[in-house]
Amino acid sequence: MSKLLCIIILYSNLCASTKIVNLNGEWIVSEDTNQYKNMKATVPGGIYSDLMNNGIIGDIFYGNNDVELKWIQNLNWVYYKNVSISSEFLNQENVNLIFEGLDTFSSIIVNGNKVGSSENMFVQYIFDIKKYLNVGINEIEVHFSSPVKVAKKLHEEQSKNYTIPPTCPPLEYNGECHVNMIRKMQSSFAWDWGPSFPSVGIWKNVYIEAYNDSVIRYVVSDVIDKDTDHWTLNVDIYMANNNKNQVTGRLKVDLETNLMNITKIIEVNGKPDENGEIMITIDMDILKGYVNSWWPNGYGASKLYNFDVTYVNEDKSDISIKKSRIGFRKIELVQEKLDLGLTFYFKVNDVPIFMKGTNEIPIDILPEKGQNKTRVKQLLIAAHASHINMIRVWGGGVYESDYFYELTSELGILIWQDFMFACAMYPTTDSYLKNVVEEVRHQVRRLYSHSSLAVFSGNNENEGALRQNWYNTAQNYSTYHEDYVKLYITTIKSEFLRITHNRGIFITSSPTNGKKSDSENYVAENPGSSLYGDVHFYNYILNPFNTNFYPTPRFSSEYGYQSLPSLQSWFTVTNNTEDTSINSIFMNHRQHHPLGNLELKALLLYFFDVPEESNKYFNEAFIYYTQIAQAFAVKIETEHYRSCRSSLEENGEGYTMGALYWQLNDVWVAPSWSSIDYLGRWKMLQYHSMEFFAPVIVTSRLKVDRILEIYLISDLPSPLMNLTISITVYNWNSCQPVNVENLTKTIESGSSQNIKTYNTDDYLSALGCGTLSSARTNCFFYLSVTKNEVKVSPDNFVFPDALKDSNITTAHVKIDDIRKISDAGVFIIEISTDQIALFVWLESLDIRGNFSENGFLMVQPKRVVFFNSEEQTSNDYLLKTITITHLLNQKYFTNE
Ligand SMILES: *[C@@H]1O[C@H](CO)[C@@H](O)[C@H](O)[C@H]1NC(C)=O
Ligand SMILES: *[C@@H]1O[C@H](CO)[C@@H](O)[C@H](O)[C@H]1NC(C)=O
Ligand SMILES: *[C@@H]1O[C@H](CO)[C@@H](O)[C@H](O)[C@H]1NC(C)=O
Ligand SMILES: *[C@@H]1O[C@H](CO)[C@@H](O)[C@H](O)[C@H]1NC(C)=O
Ligand SMILES: *[C@@H]1O[C@H](CO)[C@@H](O)[C@H](O)[C@H]1NC(C)=O
Ligand SMILES: *[C@@H]1O[C@H](CO)[C@@H](O)[C@H](O)[C@H]1NC(C)=O
Ligand SMILES: *[C@@H]1O[C@H](CO)[C@@H](O)[C@H](O)[C@H]1NC(C)=O
Ligand SMILES: *[C@@H]1O[C@H](CO)[C@@H](O)[C@H](O)[C@H]1NC(C)=O
Ligand SMILES: *[C@@H]1O[C@H](CO)[C@@H](O)[C@H](O)[C@H]1NC(C)=O
């Protein structure tokens, strides 16, 4: 066969390729002593979904089901399926049963023969089953053991030597113990934002593959900036065959570019190793002129090019294809010496980039539901709309679905990928480490090529936990330290660097001091130092509306405040109105963060007069107020970090180059740090993040001596000239400004600049706002940036005093009209007010959708907002069901 002919045949699928029998879909599940038997099951899936679908249990998210359904976790469950196999299929030389994900401990039986077992949720299991299959019907069984019991048993064994803490989570979590002993989603035994549902099941695709010669298992591609004219595409192709037969054939790589396809063909002739695996490397130089560079969100298009790798064996009877898309970009993590400390920032294509982003917890507490593309897409599209260019996939969850990483690559959202170890010490027995190596191999080979992947981190907070003795490890520090190095450095980092040819970016923990931690035997004296690496910063005691108490780290990778989800979301988990009170037993049950509800109350008191508990709108108002406090506090903290990108203080702090707030999403309806609740509803924080992460912002710092500094900040790659910064002062009693001061400024690319400083009291009292001590209660600042009368940043504001101490005139805010303006379901909402109104908040009670802005200040009597409806609806229906409120809504403060 000529080469041309084979390629034609190959692409018209006439050549024989790897054959697949898909085992997804309907299975049968039974409890192993037949208390529950022969129930229909769905694969991919899990036991909680199956029990719900069979009506054995109700909605796991309802009421107290998180504790009432604990019987499920102690049982063992067996999944069964019959599959018909043809003689043609079985004739192939290699026949494998492949589970992309088994959660977690199982034995796999084919026609009565045990073919293997699983012990790690994050590993892909491949079992050679050729000799166990028959032509005709075959029975496959997967026997799952209770993960809670296995974890306990492993803990008992380990404790004969020494204990690996923490043994149990705080009581408030209502969680399970010893999750650190097993390789399963660490938060499936509960977390401070989530319930315990230690699922078992086949949570990803399962199928049988058959082929004669060899298959391509993984294609790991890496883009290298070779010289000014060329990229090098380094491609490692991992091939496998069970019989360890010589692999002799042809590999073809095909890259689409702007001009033409670049193709390279190489002959393969090699012998697989003892695992039946062989790796072939192909390098291709690509002229930079042929491709556009890939850029993060906000810096240019995130262009991806189709890239196919095809294997054809010697007699052309067998082919295997892997398709992917790759982007051309260079990513660096820069840790360079400063007078004090080291920098810590990312450069993409040589441009230093301030990372604006968030932390992602698992998409769902049930891992199979986290594979839902609609859910992934809703979250990532929302993040993209907020100008987010980095998401940290947090180490207590799961390595997310292929789709998650494909979409982040498409949207220009870089990924900070933790390995799945969080808030614990971990074992280092030989079998445990062997298990971890399998996990690292599979996950790094699966994920590394995605253009969005920027950095891998060994764990979440374990460097700090060890150094600061969170789990009473101090007495035996050297043992735990040795374990730490063995796991994250000798095992994970080594394997990661081997796979990535020492090119991958790896930090050991988050937070960490980076290179400084490495030089201190991987556990720094102070892992939370502001002079090195990243920090996680939380404080629920001090006034969050005061910019002065926030640290000025190089990179803030976690910070945040809690709030409550909306009433509509609460009513999916209770039908009792009393449960929605912050003082209810139910709300206390759902709050896993110790003292969390008290902290929420205390937070509000810094700023607001909270309605009386006897007020009939108290629950609704309290929820709304927590969302204001969360949005406002995270906004102030984020703007603080952004304002510190260009300067170094005398104590060496500064050059802050990242702000990833905690947390994007939720896994149930509960008090939490999320900006989007479990039902997908946006909290006020989500709306505000679209503004505080905007490319150009104007913001302020109110210093302790009441000196007000105004900052202009730009993330844009080129300077902006001749901007008009309008600094308007309003008295709370009028929509007519007291004063407007216009400044003309130029802002350099990627910089933060102090453009004006005021003595607040002098300035406001001179404008007639009142005496030196009362002026700040009567007036506030309103900031906007325009160029040739066109806005280039969201408007901002400065409250010179706490709102509860300010002399605010009560507003009356209402919706005047709602009209559909496009067939795509966009409605215009006309709003009016008779006074300046604060945190004006719209909610669509019935129809799902999002507003163009929400939680905003109204300084003018009229404003329009757009509503993007996700469902069919009418003007009249929306007029009836969309509600509007604001900070000093009279109904919260009168008792009628
Ligand atoms: C598989 O087939 C066998 C024999 O027909 C039958 O006994 C068994 O119930 C079937 N199992 C499933 C899961 O359908
Ligand atoms: C695979 O090999 C078997 C025998 O080893 C042969 O019968 C079969 O035709 C081969 N399949 C293809 C597609 O070449
Ligand atoms: C017990 O722990 C020590 C480290 O303290 C380790 O060297 C040894 O291998 C462990 N023994 C067993 C049986 O796990
Ligand atoms: C070019 O490459 C792409 C992807 O690599 C492939 O799908 C396409 O068929 C190729 N086009 C030609 C003309 O070979
Ligand atoms: C995926 O999520 C969407 C949005 O929540 C939901 O409507 C849909 O039913 C889910 N799909 C599956 C297969 O569960
Ligand atoms: C809602 O409340 C009623 C009684 O108030 C109760 O009978 C019912 O079971 C509740 N609904 C659900 C889904 O639990
Ligand atoms: C900025 O303003 C100055 C003075 O009005 C003018 O000469 C210059 O062309 C302007 N530059 C830009 C880029 O608009
Ligand atoms: C509060 O505002 C009102 C007007 O809205 C004004 O008359 C009054 O003097 C202000 N109070 C103080 C203490 O400045
Ligand atoms: C200030 O600038 C804004 C925006 O360019 C403009 O509309 C306004 O007229 C200016 N006001 C004054 C007092 O110059």
Side-chain angles (χ1 to χ4, degrees):
M1 206 188 302
S2 76
K3 190 173 117 199
L4 185 65
L5 186 60
C6 184
I7 287 167
I8 291 167
I9 288 174
L10 193 149
Y11 282 105
S12 57
N13 278 333
L14 286 177
C15 273
S17 60
T18 309
K19 295 176 171 54
I20 299 288
V21 172
N22 188 352
L23 299 184
N24 289 347
E26 206 173 289
W27 285 56
I28 296 290
V29 63
S30 299
E31 190 272 332
D32 77 342
T33 61
N34 285 338
Q35 285 183 60
Y36 300 93
K37 60 179 185 188
N38 298 336
M39 295 179 290
K40 266 193 190 166
T42 305
V43 168
I47 192 60
Y48 292 97
S49 294
D50 292 328
L51 289 170
M52 280 191 277
N53 292 338
N54 281 282
I56 307 287
I57 59 173
D59 178 2
I60 60 166
F61 295 110
Y62 198 84
N64 292 338
N65 278 345
D66 59 315
V67 287
E68 279 161 15
L69 297 175
K70 281 191 185 283
W71 55 270
I72 296 166
Q73 70 193 23
N74 296 316
L75 303 179
N76 302 320
W77 302 91
V78 189
Y79 282 80
Y80 303 90
K81 186 177 182 77
N82 280 345
V83 53
S84 165
I85 297 293
S86 69
S87 64
E88 192 207 358
F89 189 86
L90 199 51
N91 251 345
Q92 307 286 301
E93 301 272 346
N94 302 269
V95 182
N96 293 321
L97 173 57
I98 302 192
F99 293 92
E100 291 183 354
L102 284 166
D103 180 14
T104 291
F105 297 97
S106 73
S107 296
I108 294 87
I109 292 168
V110 174
N111 294 329
N113 306 290
K114 179 164 171 179
V115 301
S117 59
S118 70
E119 51 185 5
N120 187 332
M121 176 183 181
F122 308 121
V123 164
Q124 167 168 273
Y125 285 95
I126 302 176
F127 303 111
D128 179 353
I129 57 168
K130 184 172 162 76
K131 66 170 179 274
Y132 303 115
L133 286 182
N134 314 313
V135 173
I137 294 290
N138 294 268
E139 192 170 41
I140 301 186
E141 301 164 47
V142 185
H143 292 245
F144 286 99
S145 311
S146 154
V148 173
K149 289 188 172 168
V150 176
K152 182 160 186 278
K153 201 177 111 236
L154 290 170
H155 161 74
E156 283 162 2
E157 271 166 30
Q158 171 70 42
S159 295
K160 288 179 194 154
N161 198 353
Y162 62 99
T163 300
I164 309 282
T167 47
C168 293
L171 284 179
E172 287 87 346
Y173 291 17
N174 299 311
E176 298 308 316
C177 301
H178 315 304
V179 73
N180 55 341
M181 301 306 298
I182 64 177
R183 295 309 301 142
K184 178 174 171 62
M185 177 169 107
Q186 299 290 285
S187 54
S188 70
F189 280 35
W191 214 262
D192 57 2
W193 36 255
S196 168
F197 285 114
S199 188
V200 301
I202 304 166
W203 70 290
K204 291 191 151 196
N205 295 324
V206 51
Y207 52 92
I208 305 176
E209 70 172 11
Y211 58 91
N212 264 355
D213 188 281
S214 302
V215 279
I216 303 174
R217 219 24 110 211
Y218 302 94
V219 171
V220 183
S221 53
D222 199 3
V223 172
I224 303 153
D225 185 33
K226 186 184 181 196
D227 55 40
T228 45
D229 296 329
H230 298 88
W231 298 103
T232 298
L233 183 59
N234 175 267
V235 192
D236 289 343
I237 299 150
Y238 291 85
M239 306 204 43
N241 67 51
N242 298 342
N243 307 324
K244 305 173 185 67
N245 288 336
Q246 189 83 4
V247 179
T248 47
R250 207 170 243 196
L251 268 170
K252 173 164 161 287
V253 292
D254 223 330
L255 173 75
E256 226 164 23
T257 71
N258 293 343
L259 293 176
M260 56 192 263
N261 271 15
I262 299 175
T263 300
K264 193 160 176 175
I265 294 175
I266 66 159
E267 304 293 335
V268 186
N269 192 346
K271 196 145 178 61
D273 64 14
E274 68 279 9
N275 302 316
E277 192 175 86
I278 176 170
M279 187 189 88
I280 296 114
T281 297
I282 300 182
D283 277 331
M284 287 163 89
D285 283 350
I286 292 132
L287 271 172
K288 285 189 173 168
Y290 279 35
V291 290
N292 300 77
S293 298
W294 181 98
W295 287 99
N297 186 16
Y299 291 82
S302 314
K303 177 79 180 159
L304 298 172
Y305 293 90
N306 287 321
F307 179 59
D308 296 351
V309 178
T310 311
Y311 170 76
V312 183
N313 73 338
E314 201 171 25
D315 67 5
K316 301 182 178 62
S317 61
D318 215 27
I319 76 163
S320 175
I321 305 182
K322 284 266 182 211
K323 290 174 179 289
S324 59
R325 290 191 303 158
I326 53 173
F328 290 84
R329 87 287 186 265
K330 172 168 115 180
I331 302 181
E332 296 160 276
L333 174 58
V334 184
Q335 299 184 67
E336 274 168 0
K337 205 157 166 33
L338 295 170
D339 282 346
L340 289 169
L342 298 171
T343 62
F344 188 90
Y345 67 92
F346 291 91
K347 259 192 196 173
V348 181
N349 304 330
D350 297 319
V351 178
I353 292 187
F354 188 103
M355 291 302 159
K356 296 182 290 197
T358 183
N359 288 267
E360 184 256 3
I361 62 168
I363 305 284
D364 203 286
I365 199 69
L366 302 182
E368 70 272 16
K369 289 194 167 187
Q371 309 300 300
N372 183 326
K373 290 188 177 179
T374 311
R375 299 264 304 278
V376 171
K377 191 167 182 178
Q378 279 169 350
L379 288 172
L380 294 179
I381 294 282
H384 181 262
S386 291
H387 314 282
I388 277 176
N389 56 24
M390 180 174 267
I391 289 179
R392 173 165 170 252
V393 177
W394 167 78
V398 297
Y399 307 91
E400 289 294 347
S401 59
D402 292 340
Y403 180 70
F404 180 94
Y405 299 96
E406 282 160 17
L407 196 53
T408 52
S409 297
E410 210 171 291
L411 295 172
I413 299 175
L414 292 165
I415 296 297
W416 172 315
Q417 178 68 50
D418 284 359
F419 284 95
M420 294 299 138
F421 300 86
C423 298
M425 302 296 110
Y426 285 92
T428 56
T429 56
D430 289 347
S431 63
Y432 186 89
L433 293 179
K434 196 161 158 273
N435 195 3
V436 169
V437 168
E438 294 296 312
E439 169 181 336
V440 173
R441 267 187 202 153
H442 174 59
Q443 295 297 347
V444 175
R445 289 169 182 182
R446 181 173 77 90
L447 302 181
Y448 183 70
S449 313
H450 290 283
S451 303
S452 52
L453 245 304
V455 58
F456 283 77
S457 163
N459 64 69
N460 172 73
E461 297 183 355
N462 296 348
E463 183 180 338
L466 179 56
R467 172 55 73 200
Q468 293 157 6
N469 195 26
W470 296 2
Y471 308 121
N472 284 317
T473 50
Q475 291 208 331
N476 207 354
Y477 180 82
S478 64
T479 301
Y480 294 107
H481 178 261
E482 216 170 273
D483 283 352
Y484 186 90
V485 175
K486 222 190 250 176
L487 177 58
Y488 302 112
I489 305 300
T490 327
T491 305
I492 296 177
K493 185 179 183 181
S494 308
E495 192 59 33
F496 172 78
L497 289 179
R498 191 163 20 248
I499 297 168
T500 65
H501 303 287
N502 292 315
R503 288 188 300 258
I505 302 176
F506 182 90
I507 53 176
T508 312
S509 187
S510 173
T512 179
N513 288 354
K515 283 184 173 170
K516 175 77 171 163
S517 293
D518 292 352
S519 74
E520 293 175 26
N521 216 349
Y522 305 104
V523 178
E525 216 36 69
N526 172 17
S529 168
S530 279
L531 301 178
Y532 301 92
D534 62 329
V535 306
H536 294 182
F537 181 76
Y538 296 98
N539 183 312
Y540 310 111
I541 309 293
L542 297 173
N543 179 355
F545 309 108
N546 172 4
T547 42
N548 299 305
F549 93 82
Y550 293 110
T552 302
R554 304 288 185 237
F555 197 110
S556 189
S557 51
E558 275 194 26
Y559 59 96
Y561 289 91
Q562 280 200 343
S563 70
L564 302 180
S566 74
L567 271 183
Q568 284 63 50
S569 296
W570 281 109
F571 286 131
T572 66
V573 299
T574 177
N575 56 16
N576 184 351
T577 301
E578 282 164 26
D579 287 344
T580 64
S581 163
I582 187 69
N583 299 315
S584 67
I585 292 168
F586 184 66
M587 194 68 90
N588 194 44
H589 176 77
R590 292 253 161 172
Q591 172 63 274
H592 285 186
H593 179 59
L595 302 181
N597 287 350
L598 271 180
E599 286 164 0
L600 270 176
K601 288 184 177 184
L603 184 63
L604 300 193
L605 294 180
Y606 275 116
F607 219 57
F608 310 128
D609 285 324
V610 177
E612 301 282 328
E613 284 175 22
S614 57
N615 183 287
K616 78 173 176 195
Y617 298 103
F618 174 75
N619 296 351
E620 173 194 314
F622 194 88
I623 288 171
Y624 163 62
Y625 278 40
T626 65
Q627 290 200 16
I628 297 175
Q630 177 197 34
F632 198 35
V634 173
K635 167 191 160 70
I636 286 172
E637 190 167 354
T638 305
E639 291 179 356
H640 163 74
Y641 294 135
R642 291 191 65 185
S643 74
C644 299
R645 69 170 287 167
S646 301
S647 52
L648 271 186
E649 292 163 22
E650 266 170 31
N651 63 6
E653 295 180 355
Y655 287 170
T656 306
M657 283 298 278
L660 314 182
Y661 73 82
W662 184 268
Q663 72 202 57
L664 176 64
N665 55 318
D666 262 337
V667 296
W668 72 332
V669 177
S672 95
W673 295 258
S674 75
S675 58
I676 299 181
D677 79 15
Y678 183 59
L679 279 300
R681 290 196 172 91
W682 291 11
K683 292 177 172 176
M684 196 179 293
L685 173 57
Q686 186 61 33
Y687 286 104
H688 281 202
S689 72
M690 296 198 280
E691 304 199 336
F692 62 64
F693 279 149
V696 178
I697 58 167
V698 56
T699 183
S700 64
R701 265 186 221 164
L702 191 56
K703 313 287 257 200
V704 272
D705 49 9
R706 313 203 47 75
I707 298 296
L708 178 68
E709 296 174 343
I710 308 290
Y711 285 81
L712 186 59
I713 301 162
S714 169
D715 288 341
L716 297 178
S718 45
L720 279 179
M721 320 272 275
N722 296 356
L723 298 179
T724 303
I725 322 301
S726 303
I727 300 171
T728 306
V729 171
Y730 285 98
N731 190 304
W732 287 113
N733 65 13
S734 170
C735 292
Q736 281 305 314
V738 172
N739 187 59
V740 182
E741 186 177 352
N742 279 349
L743 313 171
T744 303
K745 293 284 171 190
T746 289
I747 178 85
E748 296 305 324
S749 65
S751 73
S752 162
Q753 191 183 322
N754 175 6
I755 54 165
K756 181 86 188 181
T757 300
Y758 295 102
N759 180 318
T760 317
D761 296 336
D762 290 350
Y763 183 71
L764 293 179
S765 63
L767 290 175
C769 290
T771 63
L772 273 183
S773 60
S774 72
R776 60 175 178 262
T777 66
N778 287 322
C779 290
F780 69 97
F781 295 85
Y782 193 84
L783 313 171
S784 58
V785 186
T786 52
K787 185 176 165 98
N788 305 326
E789 305 279 325
V790 178
K791 274 191 201 302
V792 300
S793 91
D795 291 352
N796 210 341
F797 46 82
V798 188
F799 303 141
D801 209 342
L803 290 174
K804 64 177 181 184
D805 298 326
S806 299
N807 186 11
I808 303 175
T809 310
T810 299
H812 300 81
V813 184
K814 62 184 191 0
I815 295 175
D816 294 328
D817 196 20
I818 300 182
R819 287 188 317 277
K820 191 169 188 175
I821 57 164
S822 100
D823 289 339
V826 181
F827 292 79
I828 189 168
I829 305 175
E830 293 176 359
I831 302 166
S832 64
T833 181
D834 58 351
Q835 282 292 351
I836 289 170
L838 285 156
F839 301 106
V840 176
W841 181 242
L842 294 155
E843 273 185 293
S844 174
L845 299 189
D846 236 24
I847 301 294
R848 298 295 298 265
N850 289 316
F851 299 91
S852 54
E853 311 162 76
N854 213 349
F856 46 83
L857 224 64
M858 274 182 85
V859 290
Q860 295 303 317
K862 289 194 180 300
R863 177 145 181 169
V864 299
V865 166
F866 300 95
F867 178 69
N868 294 296
S869 160
E870 286 163 15
E871 302 172 56
Q872 281 295 334
T873 184
S874 66
N875 298 344
D876 287 348
Y877 193 76
L878 288 180
L879 256 177
K880 258 188 289 180
T881 54
I882 289 186
T883 60
I884 192 161
T885 189
H886 63 106
L887 186 74
L888 298 181
N889 196 335
Q890 294 87 329
K891 71 178 186 182
Y892 300 154
F893 299 96
T894 52
N895 254 328
E896 79 247 1

